[in-house]
Amino acid sequence: SSSSSSYSSPALPNVTLLTNGETEKCLPIAATSNQYGYFWGTTDAAVQRVAISLLGVVLCSTINDFEIGTALQVPFATFFLWAPIALAARRNAAARAGEFVGLWRARVKDIEVVPVVAKTFENARKKSSSRGRRNTRKTTSEMLLIDFIDPISSFEVSFRIPNERRYDDVQIGDACELIVSSDDDLFRNFVAIREAYVPELDVWVGEYPFLDRNGFVLVSKRVSNN
């Protein structure tokens, strides 16, 4: 959920300490709409959750004790709705790694797209034989390797995330903002939440939407005004 910083300079990073209220605006405890959508997943995943809900309701109806069976039916019946909320809340809680939270203003140091080839296997049968064989299929995806560096010190953070078309316009030197946390209020060491914002492009870089994006933008503007 976070990425450790590295550095070779005693200079302090360009981090602004956030208040508890600002931290709550940026790092939600409950699921945001983007987080709910992330864990809702594909149509197939949603259908699977509905199937689990129906199966649970059926199994609960076979319990001899009517009150217990009825009480268990309610969570099973709504499982497909609350499961993404529970998963998001768990991920959000894990993101809070330090006592102090700050807004780090950095720049893109390097960016690289790396192809990833994965092998999948499928069973096939020859028409002239009952002996089965396995065919190998190769699928290619892309990973984005992006490094962020502090403009004042040499602090660096790196992400390795699935590449998406929305990252096409991100360039080396672009200003970006990240939420970081530390047990040191000067942030001489910190971990960064694995989601970055590129203000000039209004692009969010990250696999999982850790941040409450509306709240983050408000906090960012407050820091800029000060």
Side-chain angles (χ1 to χ4, degrees), residues 43-116:
T43 301
D44 288 344
V47 170
Q48 289 177 357
R49 284 197 299 273
V50 171
I52 293 174
S53 291
L54 293 175
L55 178 61
V57 171
V58 172
L59 291 176
C60 289
S61 66
T62 64
I63 297 177
N64 293 330
D65 190 311
F66 176 78
E67 291 185 359
I68 294 178
T70 302
L72 291 176
Q73 279 183 334
V74 174
F76 271 112
T78 57
F79 169 78
F80 72 100
L81 293 175
W82 60 256
I85 297 175
L87 291 171
R90 180 180 179 184
R91 180 75 67 91
N92 292 346
R96 297 166 178 259
E99 180 180 356
F100 302 100
V101 175
L103 177 68
W104 181 38
R105 293 201 152 149
R107 290 193 176 273
V108 177
K109 177 186 178 184
D110 194 17
I111 188 167
E112 181 181 3
V113 176
V114 179
V116 178

Side-chain angles (χ1 to χ4, degrees), residues 112-120 137-145 160-163:
E112 181 181 3
V113 176
V114 179
V116 178
V117 179
K119 293 182 179 180
T120 58
R137 300 181 62 184
K138 292 184 178 180
T139 57
T140 303
S141 59
E142 293 180 335
M143 297 297 290
L144 182 74
L145 308 181
R160 179 184 174 91
I161 56 177
N163 191 34

Side-chain angles (χ1 to χ4, degrees), residues 212-223:
D212 183 321
R213 295 175 177 180
N214 292 331
F216 180 93
V217 170
L218 291 176
V219 171
S220 173
K221 289 180 179 178
R222 195 279 301 171
V223 172

Side-chain angles (χ1 to χ4, degrees), residues 191-209:
V191 293
I193 302 299
R194 294 184 62 83
E195 184 177 22
Y197 181 53
V198 184
E200 292 183 3
L201 302 175
D202 192 27
V203 169
W204 299 86
V205 180
E207 182 176 4
Y208 175 75

Side-chain angles (χ1 to χ4, degrees), residues 8-19:
S8 57
S9 169
L12 295 175
N14 186 23
V15 178
T16 300
L17 179 66
L18 300 183
T19 65

